Amino acid sequence: MDTETKMILVVDDNPITARWVGYLTGRVGFSVVLASNGEEAVNRLAEQQFAAVISDVEMPGMNGFELLQNIRLLYPEMPVILMTVFCDGKRREAARAWGAQALLEKPVNMDQLTELFSGGQEAHRNDSVEGLHVFAVP
């Protein structure tokens, strides 16, 4: 994670979820910018520097996997964390294959974000927190 930039972009079409994840991310020590869809996220990324992106997978228009693909093309080193209600093996493999750092199962909670952003790489690799699947530590 870029220690100079403490800004996280949270992308979710559900404003309640976006605010909740933004609140939790703020509690972990980051400043947060919210985007309501993939297109808005791409625009925000062009305007401002972020340490990472946390994005929902299920969104109308550009979904989270499509956003991840766009980010990989434009910002290959940008850490991207996806979140989803429907976390199955197929989605975990797609997230890993496209270069997501992690996949969070909704509802996202403080334990997941604290574990993800606080270090403890061995704990990440073993999925010690329920609903957190880490592929690469940001």
Side-chain angles (χ1 to χ4, degrees):
M1 183 74 61
D2 182 353
T3 57
E4 295 297 312
T5 305
K6 300 280 284 183
M7 187 72 66
I8 303 286
L9 179 60
V10 174
V11 187
D12 199 306
D13 61 312
N14 181 323
I16 295 169
T17 302
R19 285 193 306 270
W20 174 247
V21 174
Y23 167 77
L24 293 176
T25 305
R27 296 279 315 263
V28 178
F30 293 91
S31 297
V32 176
V33 171
L34 303 179
S36 61
N37 58 56
E39 293 82 6
E40 184 180 347
V42 169
N43 291 334
R44 297 262 191 217
L45 286 164
E47 298 167 356
Q48 188 172 353
Q49 187 175 10
F50 293 93
V53 175
I54 301 174
S55 177
D56 186 21
V57 170
E58 297 85 20
M59 296 184 292
M62 182 187 301
N63 70 37
F65 288 119
E66 294 166 333
L67 175 59
L68 173 59
Q69 292 170 24
N70 276 299
I71 292 171
R72 284 292 152 260
L73 291 172
L74 298 170
Y75 312 97
E77 301 301 316
M78 172 73 62
V80 177
I81 299 150
L82 295 176
M83 55 186 173
T84 184
V85 171
F86 308 106
C87 189
D88 58 14
K90 183 178 178 180
R91 284 181 186 238
R92 283 192 298 274
E93 185 51 39
R96 179 192 317 265
W98 279 103
Q101 274 59 38
L103 182 65
L104 301 174
E105 293 181 36
K106 287 181 174 181
V108 175
N109 63 59
M110 190 63 147
D111 289 343
Q112 293 168 320
L113 292 177
T114 299
E115 182 71 10
L116 184 61
F117 289 122
S118 69
Q121 294 182 15
E122 287 306 312
H124 291 316
R125 300 277 180 223
N126 295 325
D127 290 330
S128 64
V129 172
E130 186 175 341
L132 172 64
H133 308 278
V134 177
F135 313 120
V137 177

